[in-house]
Amino acid sequence: AVSPIARDIIETASLVNGAGVGIELARAKHHANDPYFLQPMDGIDSTGYRASWWTQFYCILWRSWLSVLKDPMLVKVRLLQTAMVASLIGSIYFGQVLDQDGVMNINGSLFLFLTNMTFQNVFAVINVFSAELPVFLREKRSRLYRVDTYFLGKTIAELPLFIAVPFVFTSITYPMIGLKAGVSHYLTTLFIVTLVANVSTSFGYLISCA
């Protein structure tokens, strides 16, 4: 059985398909100079996208940011996990002194700094793009946005989390291990760990895109 709505759609489609070529040519001529008219994808007459680059970027960024805010439990779990791992590493290497054994232990703690920030952030984003692939392909084929605006908006929306995670990790482990005192030394370490985390995130995005 065909519903009334489906019957109306079929009738409308039949009328459109049965319309004369002259009507279509008139419509194409009317919208030829309209930059907001969505032209067909096939052929050389396509004019691009309805919105500008900045509008596309803003909309994707806002939508991605809302998706992050809609799942606050995931953010809390990530931060809690980071705090627990940082406390564990800080407890293992607690109160190191600058002797021969202390220097070796500090080297081991720095190795754990890098490995934890690397693998934690790689696996956090490895399924980001593959999970949204059907939606992305449908909207891209509809010419709603470009690939670069989607990628930048998606990554920048998640950037605050990948800055907060290194901050929590470094703020807990740095004083517990007894690394070099001083605000400048702490900020230098925090800057390097943040860079490592974001490079790892970019590598995870690369794997996700592949």
Side-chain angles (χ1 to χ4, degrees):
V2 180
S3 65
I5 297 177
R7 190 179 299 109
D8 293 339
I9 293 175
I10 294 174
E11 293 176 357
T12 303
S14 300
L15 291 175
V16 172
N17 292 330
V21 178
I23 297 176
E24 297 298 325
L25 292 176
R27 289 179 178 176
K29 187 179 297 183
H30 175 70
H31 294 291
N33 298 323
D34 188 359
Y36 297 100
F37 179 70
L38 190 61
Q39 300 283 357
M41 291 189 65
D42 298 331
I44 59 175
D45 294 330
S46 57
T47 57
Y49 302 87
R50 294 187 178 186
S52 63
W53 190 95
W54 286 107
T55 303
Q56 297 176 32
F57 172 73
Y58 173 78
C59 293
I60 294 297
L61 178 63
W62 180 248
R63 187 178 71 174
S64 301
W65 177 247
L66 289 180
S67 65
V68 173
L69 296 180
K70 286 180 180 178
D71 196 3
M73 183 57 65
L74 179 61
V75 177
K76 294 178 181 178
V77 168
R78 285 287 309 279
L79 295 178
L80 180 61
Q81 177 187 3
T82 302
M84 293 177 63
V85 173
S87 300
L88 178 61
I89 296 176
S91 300
I92 295 174
Y93 295 97
F94 184 79
Q96 297 298 319
V97 294
L98 290 180
D99 54 13
Q100 184 174 358
D101 293 334
V103 170
M104 296 298 296
N105 292 333
I106 290 175
N107 286 335
S109 66
L110 295 179
F111 174 76
L112 290 179
F113 265 62
L114 300 180
T115 55
N116 182 73
M117 286 294 99
T118 299
F119 292 106
Q120 179 181 358
N121 291 286
V122 166
F123 289 110
V125 300
I126 201 168
N127 291 322
V128 168
F129 294 115
S130 58
E132 296 186 359
L133 185 60
V135 176
F136 167 75
L137 291 177
R138 182 176 68 251
E139 295 178 344
K140 178 64 174 64
R141 288 165 183 167
S142 299
R143 316 189 75 175
L144 296 179
Y145 47 74
R146 298 171 173 83
V147 178
D148 55 346
T149 56
Y150 172 78
F151 182 83
L152 291 175
K154 187 70 177 175
T155 54
I156 294 177
E158 298 180 351
L159 184 62
L161 178 61
F162 296 112
I163 294 177
V165 168
F167 175 77
V168 172
F169 184 84
T170 307
S171 299
I172 294 176
T173 53
Y174 196 93
M176 290 184 67
I177 296 174
L179 298 178
K180 192 171 184 179
V183 177
S184 60
H185 303 298
Y186 164 76
L187 293 178
T188 302
T189 305
L190 177 61
F191 178 71
I192 295 175
V193 173
T194 303
L195 287 181
V196 171
N198 284 273
V199 169
S200 304
T201 303
S202 300
F203 185 71
Y205 285 140
L206 173 63
I207 298 175
S208 181
C209 291

